[in-house]
Amino acid sequence: MDLTFTEEEQAFRARLRTWLADVLPKLPPKPAATDWPGRRRHDAAWQRMLYDAGYAGLHWPVDAGGRGATPTQHLIFLEETEKAGAPYVGANFVGLLHAGPTIAAEGTAAQRARWLPPILRGDEIWCQGFSEPDAGSDLAALRTRAVRDGDAYVVTGSKIWTSHAEVADWCELLVRTDPEAPRHRGISWLAMPMDAPGVTVRPLRTLAGSTEFAEVFLDEVRVPVDHRIGAEHDGWRVTMVTLSFERGTAFVGEVVACRRVLAELARTARANGRWDDAVLRRRLGRLNVEFAALWRLTQWNVSEAQSTGGVPGTGGSVFKLRYSHARQELYDAAAEVLGGQALDAAHPWVADRLSALSYTIAAGTSQIQRNIVAERILGLPKGR
């Protein structure tokens, strides 16, 4: 792992800091958490600013519309934007971090030309149609059917936990194109227009009160065959490419945010008298070491990706597994520091604590991550 920065990378960091200092004070206020049309406009406007400044798709290949930056430069970008308090990708999450990189890696020239520029500009929003009511952690058990009918697939089934479906233009959709094939085969990855006849979206309200997830019902939806990414029935392999990006650098900015929250926790504890509790001090100290180690692990993963062509490896599962639990521990500590204020739903740390509960499930449960670590990194036999 190389922890040093080249002169070019240091210059890149300086330019980025200067640009952020100039544009961030000019941004309009962030819309209310429940105003998803407003949030879409806000997130799309920020993405367009990044695009116009040359920071959109920073680490994407040049032939995919990106700048071809190294993974290390991408890491610098994520670190500096989070430290500066810049907007997160928000509604652009699936397009920028999942669908876009997958299409860049697996799509045809025509598919790249059709979908990547609108993603980079913030013109089109994507949602993720992977999980189903009976196929969440066991994604290979998905049952949504796609029957070939000439130049289209006729899709019937349902999806759940479909991120940003209520404001999305497109959906990265996993379907079963060969019901007779073994579980991990006979699956295809489709780009489905969300305004197609037969698509019904029903928002889901989370414990934190947000509606960024939805149920999606598909009733004989026609999706053109040329919207398939990769070969027919090869969707599981393509999905592993998608998930490698999801578990690779998708959480980098959040590690930086957690380290900032930890520093704020220490300041709050000193101000409200909780700092005198030696047990709490040890807890915060251990969390400080935990997130410092996670940051080093992130750098290691980025170094590995840089040496293998830019696609994250299985080390992302190690990171995601530990980060999910560390985030929950951080906000448990926040509740201890806040005392009675921990019952005030208006406090941002309270909402973050509720959100943290989902991290051991989202993007692959901790149980699934342990299986990946055991089988693909440690070489242990598959469980029976």
Side-chain angles (χ1 to χ4, degrees):
M1 177 171 68
D2 185 1
L3 298 181
T4 62
F5 296 104
T6 65
E7 290 186 7
E8 181 183 359
E9 288 164 348
Q10 291 171 335
F12 170 78
R13 187 190 295 273
R15 290 194 302 271
L16 176 59
R17 284 180 176 176
T18 299
W19 182 77
L20 289 169
D22 177 56
V23 300
L24 290 182
K26 303 173 185 176
L27 291 180
K30 185 176 180 179
T34 55
D35 178 11
W36 273 104
R39 290 179 67 177
R40 172 182 169 144
R41 289 191 296 271
H42 180 271
D43 296 343
W46 171 243
Q47 184 60 30
R48 184 61 195 231
M49 292 176 70
L50 291 172
Y51 179 83
D52 290 341
Y55 291 116
L58 188 68
H59 62 302
W60 288 18
V62 174
D63 62 0
R67 286 182 55 179
T70 66
T72 300
Q73 287 176 316
H74 183 216
L75 188 67
I76 291 171
F77 171 80
L78 294 171
E79 182 182 15
E80 291 299 326
T81 52
E82 179 59 42
K83 283 183 176 179
Y88 189 48
V89 289
N92 296 300
F93 181 87
V94 176
L96 286 170
L97 304 184
H98 299 180
T102 303
I103 294 169
E106 299 289 334
T108 65
Q111 290 169 339
R112 287 178 163 204
R114 166 60 188 88
W115 285 303
L116 297 185
I119 290 174
L120 290 175
R121 292 192 301 263
D123 294 342
E124 294 180 345
I125 303 299
W126 285 65
C127 62
Q128 186 181 68
F130 282 17
S131 296
E132 299 180 4
D134 295 317
S137 298
D138 186 11
L139 185 57
L142 68 90
R143 295 188 294 182
T144 293
R145 292 280 301 273
V147 179
R148 183 78 174 260
D149 180 24
D151 60 357
Y153 292 105
V154 180
V155 182
T156 301
S158 66
K159 296 292 179 176
I160 199 167
W161 309 123
T162 311
S163 307
H164 306 311
E166 59 186 298
V167 293
D169 303 294
W170 293 90
C171 177
E172 52 173 9
L173 184 71
L174 290 187
V175 295
R176 190 163 293 284
T177 44
D178 183 358
E180 304 303 322
R183 283 161 34 94
H184 293 84
R185 300 177 185 175
I187 293 172
S188 297
W189 197 111
L190 305 180
M192 181 186 73
M194 289 297 288
D195 61 355
V199 177
T200 301
V201 176
R202 183 184 300 165
L204 294 169
R205 190 166 299 278
T206 69
L207 179 66
S210 60
T211 57
E212 68 263 31
F213 300 115
E215 295 177 284
V216 175
F217 300 93
L218 309 169
D219 182 13
E220 297 189 349
V221 180
R222 296 186 69 85
V223 179
V225 171
D226 61 11
H227 286 195
R228 186 190 67 234
I229 306 302
E232 188 172 68
H233 312 322
D234 192 32
W236 186 257
R237 184 193 62 79
V238 177
T239 300
M240 292 304 100
V241 173
T242 304
L243 295 181
S244 73
F245 287 110
E246 182 179 43
R247 297 164 188 166
T249 55
F251 292 104
V252 169
E254 298 192 35
V255 174
V256 179
C258 284
R259 298 181 78 179
R260 186 181 68 245
V261 169
L262 186 59
E264 293 173 2
L265 275 180
R267 287 193 292 270
T268 302
R270 289 186 175 95
N272 67 11
R274 298 288 294 161
W275 194 251
D276 294 335
D277 185 338
V279 174
L280 176 63
R281 291 201 306 273
R282 283 196 296 271
R283 187 177 191 181
L284 296 182
R286 184 182 60 78
L287 282 168
N288 185 51
V289 173
E290 183 90 34
F291 283 107
L294 281 168
W295 185 247
R296 290 305 190 202
L297 178 58
T298 296
Q299 292 177 308
W300 187 90
N301 287 335
V302 166
S303 292
E304 182 188 37
Q306 191 161 342
S307 66
T308 57
V311 177
T314 51
S317 289
V318 178
F319 169 85
K320 198 274 175 181
L321 175 62
R322 189 54 221 157
Y323 170 72
S324 297
H325 293 272
R327 184 181 175 93
Q328 291 180 354
E329 292 169 10
L330 171 67
Y331 285 104
D332 284 345
E336 188 174 347
V337 170
L338 289 173
Q341 282 186 289
L343 300 176
D344 181 1
H347 198 290
W349 287 348
V350 175
D352 287 339
R353 189 186 186 201
L354 294 175
S355 174
L357 297 175
S358 70
Y359 277 65
T360 48
I361 300 173
T365 66
S366 291
Q367 291 85 351
I368 293 296
Q369 304 307 322
R370 290 189 182 99
N371 284 344
I372 292 173
V373 171
E375 296 169 9
R376 301 184 194 174
I377 298 179
L378 301 179
L380 300 178
K382 292 181 179 291
R384 295 183 181 275

